[in-house]
Amino acid sequence: MNDFIQEILIDEQEIDGICSKIAADISRDYANSQKKLLLLCILKGSVVFMGELMKKITVPVEIDFMKVSSYGSGTSSAGKINILLDLHRGDLEDIDIVIVEDIIDSGRTLSHLTEYLKLKGAHSVRTCTLLDKPSRREVNFNADYVGKIIPDKFVIGFGLDYDEKYRALPFVGVLRPEYVKN
Ligand code: PRP
């Protein structure tokens, strides 16, 4: 195992099962919808999860991307969010959006984005996350589809980074504390 990994939290097989389960749930929930289903990937961490999920969903989907940033630095996401790449389409009233996230921490990003997309006129907005750290929550928010609840450890891989590294790992691992800059 790589020396920067303290432990593998979710291996490739478990991730595959999580993606299959969420994809089946989404496919079931939108099977009879008259609207278009849009998977909205929040860059960058959600790219890998989104790629797996969209292959497994059995109803027609469109995809799009937004990029947001939270104020604050280091290993904590905090404060208000900035929209760096917005969603531009003129038919939002005909769209059911499922926001795809890699992780929920404080809950601010998804809480803010959900309200924002509803105000923009989306027919409906649901949220989906691979990982959830409820112990870190600062606002009252729960996703509609949750892959796995995890403890408050610094996780990397399957899209998640530390200082832009480790996103390409095929599993979710815990970064050794000595690899985190103070
Ligand atoms: C992470 C994650 C969520 C957000 C969750 O993104 O992908 O978007 O933080 O935190 P919150 O629940 O406290 O709002 P990050 O800002 O690290 O960007 P990245 O996906 O580009 O790595």
Side-chain angles (χ1 to χ4, degrees):
M1 190 161 54
N2 296 312
D3 58 359
F4 51 84
I5 297 288
Q6 188 168 58
E7 63 175 304
I8 292 179
L9 206 58
I10 316 178
D11 65 20
E12 290 181 66
Q13 192 180 355
E14 186 176 0
I15 289 176
D16 189 63
I18 289 170
C19 293
S20 296
K21 167 75 168 63
I22 293 179
D25 289 346
I26 291 175
S27 302
R28 177 202 62 216
D29 291 349
Y30 291 91
N32 298 317
S33 171
Q34 304 304 309
K35 304 292 181 183
K36 290 179 264 190
L37 175 57
L38 177 70
L39 297 181
L40 181 58
C41 174
I42 308 306
L43 297 170
K44 303 177 192 172
S46 309
V47 161
V48 185
F49 178 42
M50 170 94 153
E52 284 303 306
L53 202 56
M54 62 187 283
K55 286 187 288 182
K56 292 173 182 283
I57 292 175
T58 55
V59 295
V61 291
E62 299 184 12
I63 63 167
D64 220 319
F65 301 85
M66 284 183 71
K67 185 166 170 57
V68 301
S69 72
S70 51
Y71 295 112
S73 59
T75 57
S76 160
S77 49
K80 219 175 107 186
I81 62 162
N82 256 332
I83 293 176
L84 304 175
L85 173 66
D86 206 346
L87 177 64
H88 299 286
R89 23 193 319 168
D91 59 347
L92 278 175
E93 70 278 5
D94 292 322
I95 305 268
D96 289 321
I97 296 177
V98 174
I99 306 174
V100 179
E101 266 289 22
D102 51 345
I103 190 164
I104 306 178
D105 193 349
S106 71
R108 292 185 189 281
T109 302
L110 277 183
S111 171
H112 179 96
L113 269 179
T114 301
E115 286 313 305
Y116 177 75
L117 292 163
K118 284 179 180 169
L119 281 173
K120 256 172 113 72
H123 177 256
S124 72
V125 182
R126 283 185 177 154
T127 55
C128 166
T129 188
L130 175 66
L131 307 173
D132 192 357
K133 278 185 185 175
S135 62
R136 299 269 302 170
R137 210 63 106 244
E138 295 171 14
V139 295
N140 183 19
F141 184 85
N142 292 304
D144 298 288
Y145 307 97
V146 177
K148 186 160 182 167
I149 291 172
I150 60 166
D152 186 17
K153 295 181 174 180
F154 198 86
V155 285
I156 53 170
F158 207 72
L160 291 115
D161 76 312
Y162 171 65
D163 204 17
E164 295 300 330
K165 297 192 289 280
Y166 314 121
R167 291 193 196 272
L169 294 172
F171 54 83
V172 174
V174 176
L175 184 63
R176 280 192 192 284
E178 55 266 38
Y179 281 81
V180 179
K181 284 182 232 153
N182 292 312

